[in-house]
Amino acid sequence: MFKKLMSVCAAAVLAVGAGAAPAAAAPDATSVRVMSFNTHHGADPADNLDLERIAGVIEDSGADVIGLQEVDNHWSSRSDFQDQAAWLAERLGMHYAYAANLDRDPAAGQTERRQYGTAVLSEYPILSSENHLLTNIEYEVRPTEQRGLLETVINVEGNHISFYNTHLDHQRSEQRQSQMKEILAISEEMDRPAVLVGDLNAVPGTPEMETVLSQFSDVFEVLGQPDDFTYPVENPNRRIDYILTKGQIQPLSAEVIDSDSSDHLPVIADLEINQTPNGLNR
């Protein structure tokens, strides 16, 4: 049955290796499978649009909570002016939240605003969502694209987790370091278990990754899979798509999914959320 949908725009409150053998979850813990997937506006590396293929990859993965990057909402003819987050949520029977990092006037002949950003899909109820627009450093040459952090709170069988989704700057480490510091400042305000996913456009060991790892753990690194590369799709040679955790969360397994539905390979991880004594993380 189709579940109730929810959406949020830019300033409103409301992205190939075999996985490690799964560890056993504790009896008083809840397991959840999460995904990060840069969907390239629903198009493959040759720019052939096929949103159903994206939906199929998500469905086949068995992911419960998904962070999507490069999601169009009535953006242009490249995605048939479709509300991609709403379409995917309806197709998969999931709750969703959408965050527009770019928000422009309607295109000629259209009535809906042109938006581009990130989304969260969830089998579990999304209790709240907010998009935090991250500060841009001013550059005269090759200005940076507006980026954001989509913050959601999700009720996973009574455990409330903070689930963050982002897509960082692709041009400059300096800009990414600034964005990471802002993300950490936002996430520090919450004491519940947290998951941060996204296309971070940075490989392990860079200053921006060292910054975020001062508070979060890299699931693939923890599981001994640091070389499970995600980009490019054909002959991937680097890892720039991440699942990071903080707090009472234990990684059980992780995997890069082999798919040519986008220009990035999606990543999934099975996580164990350790319950508080009363069974709830608030």
Side-chain angles (χ1 to χ4, degrees):
M1 180 179 294
F2 176 53
K3 300 177 180 177
K4 182 179 178 182
L5 303 179
M6 63 179 294
S7 176
V8 59
C9 292
V13 175
L14 299 163
V16 181
D28 60 347
T30 299
S31 295
V32 61
R33 177 169 290 183
V34 302
M35 169 184 274
S36 182
F37 194 1
N38 181 324
T39 64
H40 190 228
H41 61 269
D44 65 15
D47 213 27
N48 298 305
L49 180 67
D50 191 345
L51 203 56
E52 171 58 35
R53 185 163 53 173
I54 296 290
V57 172
I58 296 171
E59 187 171 52
D60 292 345
S61 76
D64 304 305
V65 184
I66 304 100
L68 304 176
Q69 303 90 43
E70 295 194 18
V71 183
D72 283 359
N73 180 22
H74 308 293
W75 180 253
S76 71
S77 58
R78 75 178 185 183
S79 49
D80 293 337
F81 292 98
Q82 195 165 34
D83 183 340
Q84 294 189 320
W87 188 93
L88 286 168
E90 182 171 8
R91 161 65 176 79
L92 296 167
M94 290 184 168
H95 306 270
Y96 81 102
Y98 182 73
N101 295 323
L102 302 182
D103 187 4
R104 298 176 180 172
D105 291 336
Q110 302 293 317
T111 59
E112 302 286 351
R113 294 191 65 80
R114 303 177 60 223
Q115 296 180 330
Y116 174 73
T118 61
V120 168
L121 304 175
S122 177
E123 288 280 0
Y124 300 104
I126 299 175
L127 304 180
S128 65
S129 60
E130 179 178 2
N131 194 37
H132 304 270
L133 295 179
L134 302 175
T135 302
N136 274 339
I137 299 173
E138 295 295 331
Y139 296 100
E140 292 184 6
V141 179
R142 294 185 291 117
T144 58
E145 178 185 302
Q146 179 64 59
R147 307 288 176 157
L149 175 71
L150 174 53
E151 175 185 8
T152 64
V153 178
I154 299 176
N155 183 352
V156 181
E157 298 182 3
N159 288 277
H160 296 182
I161 66 170
S162 292
F163 188 87
Y164 302 95
N165 180 27
T166 194
H167 183 192
L168 299 189
D169 182 69
H170 67 290
Q171 298 185 106
R172 301 174 178 90
S173 176
E174 177 190 22
Q175 178 69 87
R176 291 191 294 273
Q177 291 178 59
S178 172
Q179 292 166 343
M180 282 297 195
K181 291 175 182 177
E182 286 189 78
I183 288 171
L184 292 185
I186 292 167
S187 67
E188 279 181 331
E189 297 178 4
M190 298 298 173
D191 59 3
R192 65 177 66 90
V195 179
L196 169 62
V197 306
D199 172 5
L200 304 186
N201 275 311
V203 298
T206 54
E208 50 268 44
M209 291 309 303
E210 293 301 315
T211 295
V212 73
L213 293 181
S214 67
Q215 291 189 23
F216 284 83
S217 295
D218 179 350
V219 165
F220 279 79
E221 184 72 40
V222 169
L223 293 172
Q225 301 167 219
D227 296 329
D228 283 9
F229 300 141
T230 65
Y231 188 85
V233 167
E234 186 175 351
N235 300 318
N237 56 26
R238 55 195 179 274
R239 184 162 66 95
I240 59 175
D241 301 271
Y242 292 84
I243 297 173
L244 310 173
T245 64
K246 181 173 71 169
Q248 296 301 308
I249 298 179
Q250 176 68 32
L252 303 176
S253 65
E255 182 180 356
V256 178
I257 296 175
D258 187 6
S259 169
D260 62 357
S261 58
S262 173
D263 62 347
H264 285 243
L265 298 175
V267 294
I268 60 172
D270 289 312
L271 307 176
E272 173 188 294
I273 306 170
N274 296 311
Q275 298 178 344
T276 57
N278 64 2
L280 293 176
N281 290 309
R282 293 297 186 185

